[in-house]
Amino acid sequence: MELVIDTLSKDIRYVEFPVGINKTYLDNVCYELDRETDTLTICSEGNFYSSLKKRAPDLINRFGLRKINILKKLSLFLSVVLFIPLILKIVSGDPASLLPLVSISGSLMFFVLASYLSEIENYCNIFRCKNCGRDFAYEEIKRPFVKIVSTYNKYEKTITSYLKCRYCNDEYIRTEIARQNSKSRSKKTDKNRKTCKGCGKDYSLVEYRYPDAHLEYHNIFRTIRHYKCVHCGYVEVRIKDDHIAINRV
Ligand SMILES: [Zn+2]
Ligand SMILES: [Zn+2]
């Protein structure tokens, strides 16, 4: 048996900031650019936790929070362990073997499982009422507010949820930092120059900083690339979603 990672489909969005425009909306998402600091802020309504609403209580009732936690740590451990043969292969300089592929697939599979279990665990903690302490007590009274801030050095995503307990009516506004990545390199990048849509000059649109790349959901890998025209100040942001699936062959 072999595990294969497939990219099922790609979904690319271009967000354009012509000179003088610092704020734009696309599919109900607000993109705002601070030209002084090159900070990009993305605000949108998030999704309700509905996808886990039924499964999380089922899984917690069946296995208990402690077992879910152990399984999560085990998956993370296996994900790291399976990555080691790949590193050894690279070091020994023998790329011909199939081992790296199996190693990557296995590592990624356990990583995906660990993030799913972590979501379940998280769901359980979020929906326990802060006032009366009952499990799965909160209901979301409106869609969460999601804010992403991307700078040269950092990518930060915060989610604000609006919750109300169905037993004691306690209302709770919860803000969590859902993701915080420090970019390992903050120097400028200057390859794959493109034609600027603002002034039309060839090779003037430059990718001016390293992209933000991360697993957005358990099946979507998102890459955000930042471009700027060296002549006219036109800015473009390219957001690519790779929908991934892991199959057994
Ligand atoms: Zn309560
Ligand atoms: Zn230009």
Side-chain angles (χ1 to χ4, degrees), residues 129 131-134 137-138 165 167-170:
C129 177
N131 188 44
C132 70
R134 295 207 209 190
Y138 282 134
C165 177
Y167 302 109
C168 72
N169 285 330
D170 185 52

Side-chain angles (χ1 to χ4, degrees), residues 186-204:
S186 59
K187 64 173 184 171
K188 296 188 178 184
T189 122
D190 191 8
K191 44 180 188 177
N192 301 325
R193 284 176 166 235
K194 298 196 293 187
T195 303
C196 171
K197 286 182 204 159
C199 64
K201 287 201 173 118
D202 288 340
Y203 309 111
S204 62

Side-chain angles (χ1 to χ4, degrees), residues 83-214:
F83 208 72
I84 294 171
L86 179 72
I87 295 165
L88 292 178
K89 276 282 158 196
I90 292 168
V91 171
S92 68
D94 170 27
S97 154
L98 262 179
L99 187 63
L101 192 63
V102 177
S103 163
I104 294 174
S105 310
S107 174
L108 194 74
M109 190 190 74
F110 280 110
F111 182 75
V112 169
L113 180 64
S115 22
Y116 181 69
L117 293 171
S118 169
E119 269 182 56
I120 299 272
E121 207 177 38
N122 207 18
Y123 180 91
C124 188
N125 290 329
I126 293 169
F127 286 83
R128 184 181 299 122
C129 177
K130 295 273 176 289
N131 188 44
C132 70
R134 295 207 209 190
D135 277 334
F136 306 111
Y138 282 134
E139 277 174 339
E140 293 178 282
I141 47 180
K142 63 174 175 173
R143 282 186 180 274
F145 177 73
V146 181
K147 184 178 177 184
I148 291 165
V149 178
S150 168
T151 67
Y152 280 98
N153 305 315
K154 205 172 72 175
Y155 176 90
E156 189 177 89
K157 178 179 177 180
T158 51
I159 301 176
T160 305
S161 303
Y162 306 92
L163 308 167
K164 187 176 181 179
C165 177
R166 74 178 92 176
Y167 302 109
C168 72
N169 285 330
D170 185 52
E171 282 191 27
Y172 178 55
I173 296 175
R174 179 180 185 278
T175 301
E176 67 162 326
I177 297 174
R179 179 180 291 279
Q180 195 172 41
N181 290 3
S182 297
K183 290 175 199 171
S184 51
R185 295 172 294 178
S186 59
K187 64 173 184 171
K188 296 188 178 184
T189 122
D190 191 8
K191 44 180 188 177
N192 301 325
R193 284 176 166 235
K194 298 196 293 187
T195 303
C196 171
K197 286 182 204 159
C199 64
K201 287 201 173 118
D202 288 340
Y203 309 111
S204 62
L205 199 65
V206 173
E207 184 173 13
Y208 70 94
R209 71 174 192 237
Y210 278 93
D212 305 300
H214 53 264

